[in-house]
Amino acid sequence: REKMSIISAIKFAMAYYSHDNIVWIPISLEEMLRVSGNAGSKKEGLLSAKNLHFEHGATCDDLLLIGIERTAQKILVHLHPVEVKIGLNASGVLEKAKNQVINTYNGLMKALWPVGEERNTIECKVIRNFIMQLAILSCEKMRLYGIYPEETWDLVLDECREALLNEDYEITEAINRFIGTGTIISFKQDVAIASGTLDEDNI
């Protein structure tokens, strides 16, 4: 059920946030962040919880949507974590999910796009490059297997690849006021009506 819920969440999020100017690329946060599911344990590595500033608090381990937008002036990159919950989903479960999304978003921004000179450190550059390689690899698989053929994967793979791998882009928070800093997708038991809202915490 959990694995199917992730696939369902990808399909839902790709449809819900579909935009003519943005190519959304789904990435597995469980794979990317190496977040362990037990008692806060962490695995060391380039994208460990420690290196991504996740020393404290629950983190999201489901999905990261990476949005690639090419404007006349530059290439913009949007980051949008998605936490998926299935079952009864009481208010406490959703509150925890909200904290997971917020912690993950803040950690990613600190690791990938901090304010000031830290943005140009070798650590930041290496992590950003690795993330972009994951995004490109995901695009290649999507195109190879004909998944979402209506999506413009070619924009990323043929027109933006060089820029993404050479730091010629900007990670932006511009669309957060429209779609929030992250999303909780709740497949609640016995609820068959789809609805969505942006709450006071911008989730």
Side-chain angles (χ1 to χ4, degrees):
R1 289 179 63 217
E2 183 177 355
K3 295 302 181 185
M4 288 302 296
S5 73
I6 298 295
I7 295 173
S8 299
I10 291 173
K11 292 171 70 68
F12 181 85
M14 292 287 285
Y16 197 78
Y17 292 127
S18 177
H19 193 284
D20 290 342
N21 298 331
I22 301 175
V23 179
W24 288 108
I25 307 166
I27 301 290
S28 167
L29 272 171
E30 182 179 15
E31 177 67 20
M32 191 188 87
L33 302 178
R34 311 290 194 265
V35 175
S36 174
N38 53 21
S41 64
K42 314 177 190 75
K43 297 180 180 178
E44 292 302 321
L46 177 65
L47 297 178
S48 67
K50 180 179 178 181
N51 286 343
L52 289 177
H53 304 277
F54 295 161
E55 293 92 337
H56 306 288
T59 54
C60 175
D61 61 356
D62 289 330
L63 299 173
L64 175 66
L65 294 180
I66 300 178
I68 308 298
E69 179 180 3
R70 189 183 64 175
T71 69
Q73 293 77 31
K74 64 183 72 174
I75 293 174
L76 302 176
V77 175
H78 309 280
L79 302 176
H80 195 84
V82 178
E83 179 68 14
V84 184
K85 297 296 182 185
I86 56 174
L88 295 176
N89 291 353
S91 58
V93 172
L94 297 182
E95 189 63 28
K96 178 185 176 182
K98 183 187 297 187
N99 291 331
Q100 289 176 278
V101 169
I102 292 171
N103 290 339
T104 300
Y105 180 83
N106 290 338
L108 284 170
M109 291 303 292
K110 287 179 182 177
L112 298 172
W113 206 250
V115 177
E117 292 300 318
E118 291 183 17
R119 186 176 297 174
N120 298 317
T121 63
I122 187 64
E123 290 84 1
C124 272
K125 289 177 178 289
V126 168
I127 292 174
R128 283 198 299 265
N129 184 264
F130 194 84
I131 296 291
M132 290 303 109
Q133 288 190 52
L134 287 178
I136 289 171
L137 179 61
S138 181
C139 272
E140 288 176 340
K141 289 181 178 179
M142 295 286 192
R143 185 167 71 175
L144 176 64
Y145 295 113
I147 300 173
Y148 295 115
E150 70 279 3
E151 192 60 84
T152 52
W153 306 121
D154 291 347
L155 174 71
V156 178
L157 296 175
D158 300 334
E159 301 179 36
C160 298
R161 182 196 295 259
E162 184 175 353
L164 293 174
L165 293 177
N166 286 282
E167 298 268 301
D168 188 14
Y169 58 84
E170 175 184 334
I171 297 179
T172 176
E173 299 181 274
I175 65 170
N176 289 1
R177 61 194 179 101
F178 301 109
I179 68 171
T181 56
T183 292
I184 301 166
I185 295 181
S186 170
F187 295 116
K188 188 172 182 178
Q189 185 173 314
D190 299 326
V191 174
I193 299 173
S195 63
T197 183
L198 188 63
D199 74 6
E200 66 278 3
D201 293 311
N202 210 30
I203 301 296

